[in-house]
Amino acid sequence: EAQVTQNPRYLITVTGKKLTVTCSQNMNHEYMSWYRQDPGLGLRQIYYSMNVEVTDKGDVPEGYKVSRKEKRNFPLILESPSPNQTSLYFCASSRAGTANYGYTFGSGTRLTVV
Amino acid sequence: DAKTTQPNSMESNEEEPVHLPCNHSTISGTDYIHWYRQLPSQGPEYVIHGLTSNVNNRMASLAIAEDRKSSTLILHRATLRDAAVYYCILSPTGNQFYFGTGTSLTVIP
């Protein structure tokens, strides 16, 4: 089944403890992206990647890192999480030329930083 | 980024057509109009997209105004499974999407 898989689904962590949220897609998509969703603010793009070793900042990149060493994986790294990064996170992927193709989203990761 | 304006919420009766409006008065010539929806406790789901002409697919139809300053997503027969938040998004390349807060659609049995 074509899908975007995020892990973990739920995570509670403490301030300052480095964490990684994994994202993997099995559709050979070039584009991958991370979003966070907060009440009243909708979904905001954190980082995106147009292909292997190519990443760029979205609207809210501060406090996050990403890497794209392989086409299928696009992990989101929080080096020193803070409570304001408590949010629902979504990973998405698409074929090249996303204006002509839709994004496929993962099921989300709910992160709580205490 | 060009922004969109959508009503916060709408209601529809089951099995009736639903017209979800979106205003995008600052749209540029290269902006595609995308629609996504998000069901409760799920990630967003692609619905439809277009540039200038009206578009149809198995999920919905997209009607784009001649001046492209507005568009309407049409669900031909609303079902309870269509209850979701619907997002209208503009993007010239599809790399960066501004989702906004969307329209929450309630379907009444």
Side-chain angles (χ1 to χ4, degrees), chain A residues 33-36 43-46 88-90 105, chain B residues 97 99:
Chain A
S33 184
W34 276 102
Y35 291 84
R36 62 177 289 175
L43 286 106
R44 294 178 292 170
Q45 192 172 45
I46 303 171
L88 178 58
Y89 291 86
F90 290 101
F105 280 80
Chain B
F97 278 11
F99 270 82

Side-chain angles (χ1 to χ4, degrees), chain A residues 31 37 45 50 90 99 103 105, chain B residues 36 38 43-44 49 95-96:
Chain A
Y31 289 153
Q37 185 170 31
Q45 192 172 45
M50 300 203 310
F90 290 101
Y103 265 112
F105 280 80
Chain B
Y36 280 73
Q38 188 173 19
H49 77 278
N95 296 340
Q96 287 189 283

Side-chain angles (χ1 to χ4, degrees), chain A:
Chain A
E1 180 188 352
Q3 60 186 358
V4 175
T5 303
Q6 295 178 228
N7 280 298
R9 289 293 308 276
Y10 301 92
L11 179 60
I12 301 174
T13 190
V14 297
T15 299
K17 186 177 180 182
K18 181 180 178 180
L19 67 91
T20 299
V21 183
T22 64
C23 174
S24 180
Q25 50 94 3
N26 62 0
M27 296 166 282
N28 202 36
H29 284 170
E30 290 81 10
Y31 289 153
M32 296 187 75
S33 184
W34 276 102
Y35 291 84
R36 62 177 289 175
Q37 185 170 31
D38 303 290
L41 296 176
L43 286 106
R44 294 178 292 170
Q45 192 172 45
I46 303 171
Y47 270 95
Y48 65 94
S49 169
M50 300 203 310
N51 214 322
V52 176
E53 302 292 359
V54 180
T55 62
D56 212 342
K57 296 177 180 178
D59 295 319
V60 288
E62 293 77 21
Y64 304 95
K65 285 176 57 177
V66 293
S67 69
R68 189 89 183 274
K69 295 188 174 69
E70 307 164 280
K71 198 172 188 179
R72 64 182 293 125
N73 296 324
F74 191 45
L76 179 69
I77 303 155
L78 285 72
E79 295 268 1
S80 182
S82 62
N84 64 12
Q85 292 178 298
T86 293
S87 188
L88 178 58
Y89 291 86
F90 290 101
C91 180
S93 74
S94 175
R95 289 172 60 182
T98 313
N100 295 317
Y101 303 100
Y103 265 112
T104 300
F105 280 80
S107 298
T109 296
R110 186 167 292 281
L111 172 66
T112 302
V113 184
V114 298

Side-chain angles (χ1 to χ4, degrees), chain B residues 63-78:
Chain B
I64 301 172
E66 197 168 332
D67 63 5
R68 300 209 327 126
K69 293 184 185 299
S70 65
S71 61
T72 301
L73 179 71
I74 303 165
L75 307 179
H76 296 287
R77 287 179 72 244

